[in-house]
Amino acid sequence: MIIERSAFAGMGKFGSRWLGDNWSEYRYMGYSVTGVMMHNIIGIPLAGADICGFLGNTTPELCARWHVVGAFYPFSRNHNTLGSEAQEPYLFNTTYFQNTSLSYTSIMRQAMRTKYSLMNYYYTELSMLHETGGAFYKPVFFEFPDDANAYQDQTDNVMLGKALKLSVNSHVEGQLSTKFYFPAGTWCNVFNVTTFANTCIKGP
């Protein structure tokens, strides 16, 4: 596997790239979403970020949230620098998330299972892009260019290929609910970290 930090035109056909050193802060988790989008737009679809942050010390909640966000990157890894506190998922097993019965470790474990469950879809979509070009992890307006609302809140609304829309709180600490926009059509809930419920809604 080729993973680059520097890059040149056309390298996306042959290798992947990560976003470089980031900080263990909520705003950098948000930056990662638009950063991965940008890489897809310029022809590097297999891109991602260091989840939990690379520089500085993460927190259990940030690391758990970032595992959920990172489960949907085309490429992700839990990785940090020398001198920072260790951030392997099992280290957060005794701390509970938002006064629920979920441990931070259990949330990270489920995020990893989500990642593995998507591999066939990702592999198929990225393989087709290798032949045709285009973006996989992209802004919603790429699929709904005539919907003015699709141009808003790019950090929280992502299209994964043509079939999946990612709605995730990627940059706000402690927030338990967020309003997301869904374009016209029928949208079915495939993954929900709280309920794992399969429900469908109608977009406007």
Side-chain angles (χ1 to χ4, degrees):
M1 179 177 179
I2 301 172
I3 177 170
E4 293 282 350
R5 183 170 181 174
S6 60
F8 192 74
M11 68 81 54
K13 184 175 181 178
F14 304 100
S16 61
R17 193 171 185 275
W18 93 106
L19 304 185
D21 297 349
N22 57 10
W23 287 88
S24 300
E25 299 176 10
Y26 279 82
R27 61 189 176 121
Y28 279 89
M29 182 168 57
Y31 296 156
S32 71
V33 172
T34 50
V36 175
M37 282 183 191
M38 181 271 295
H39 278 73
N40 273 258
I41 290 169
I42 65 172
I44 307 174
L46 187 56
D50 291 339
I51 56 178
C52 301
F54 180 74
L55 299 167
N57 297 320
T58 194
T59 65
E61 183 173 324
L62 174 60
C63 201
R65 287 181 183 272
W66 212 325
H67 270 80
V68 174
V69 174
F72 297 92
Y73 299 152
F75 168 80
S76 60
R77 61 183 181 179
N78 180 334
H79 178 59
N80 65 344
T81 188
L82 291 172
S84 293
E85 294 178 3
Q87 58 190 34
E88 288 87 347
Y90 70 86
L91 294 172
F92 305 115
N93 197 40
T94 58
T95 305
Y96 287 88
F97 182 76
Q98 296 290 345
N99 300 316
T100 71
S101 60
L102 292 173
S103 69
Y104 294 105
T105 297
S106 68
I107 292 170
M108 296 180 207
R109 183 183 297 116
Q110 183 57 47
M112 287 184 252
R113 289 174 175 157
T114 296
K115 181 76 170 187
Y116 284 120
S117 72
L118 288 168
M119 281 193 174
N120 287 340
Y121 176 69
Y122 277 43
Y123 184 85
T124 301
E125 290 284 323
L126 292 169
S127 295
M128 290 189 293
L129 289 181
H130 185 75
E131 300 297 325
T132 63
F136 169 70
Y137 189 103
K138 55 195 172 184
V140 175
F141 65 79
F142 268 47
E143 293 299 325
F144 300 90
D146 297 327
D147 186 338
N149 292 316
Y151 293 80
Q152 307 300 316
D153 300 323
Q154 293 306 312
T155 308
D156 292 336
N157 295 283
V158 184
M159 288 299 299
L160 306 171
K162 293 181 178 294
L164 291 177
K165 179 184 179 288
L166 172 62
S167 302
V168 63
N169 181 349
S170 61
H171 58 99
V172 182
E173 182 175 2
Q175 189 166 327
L176 294 181
S177 64
T178 308
K179 291 183 179 180
F180 300 108
Y181 179 72
F182 292 88
T186 300
W187 299 90
C188 295
N189 185 9
V190 180
F191 298 107
N192 186 306
V193 74
T194 304
T195 64
F196 305 105
N198 288 308
T199 57
C200 296
I201 62 169
K202 291 280 189 181

